[in-house]
Amino acid sequence: MKLQLNGAPIEVQVTTLADLLDAEGFGGAKVATAVNGAFVPAAARAGQQLSDGDSVEVLAPMQGG
């Protein structure tokens, strides 16, 4: 399946957002996610199906002062 991950094209063999995060090394990280511009909470990632051509954004929280 071809996806856009943070603006970069990738090709992966996954079906859900949770699978994608695991495959790309974000599995245990505290991140915010969106699919096609819609926020996906952590509890919904395992049920969020991905389709060819979807755009996924994964954002890490910023720290600073």
Side-chain angles (χ1 to χ4, degrees), residues 2 13 16-17 27 31 36 38 40 46 52 57 60 63:
K2 294 180 182 178
Q13 298 298 319
T16 68
L17 180 56
V31 294
N36 298 325
V40 180
D52 197 47
E57 294 292 327
Q63 290 185 339

Side-chain angles (χ1 to χ4, degrees), residues 1-10 12 16-17 20-21 32-40 48-59:
M1 166 182 332
K2 294 180 182 178
L3 301 171
Q4 291 282 323
L5 178 60
N6 293 341
I10 62 168
V12 290
T16 68
L17 180 56
L20 176 66
L21 294 175
T33 55
V35 176
N36 298 325
F39 174 73
V40 180
Q48 177 67 51
Q49 295 293 312
L50 297 174
S51 299
D52 197 47
D54 280 350
S55 177
V56 179
E57 294 292 327
V58 179
L59 303 169

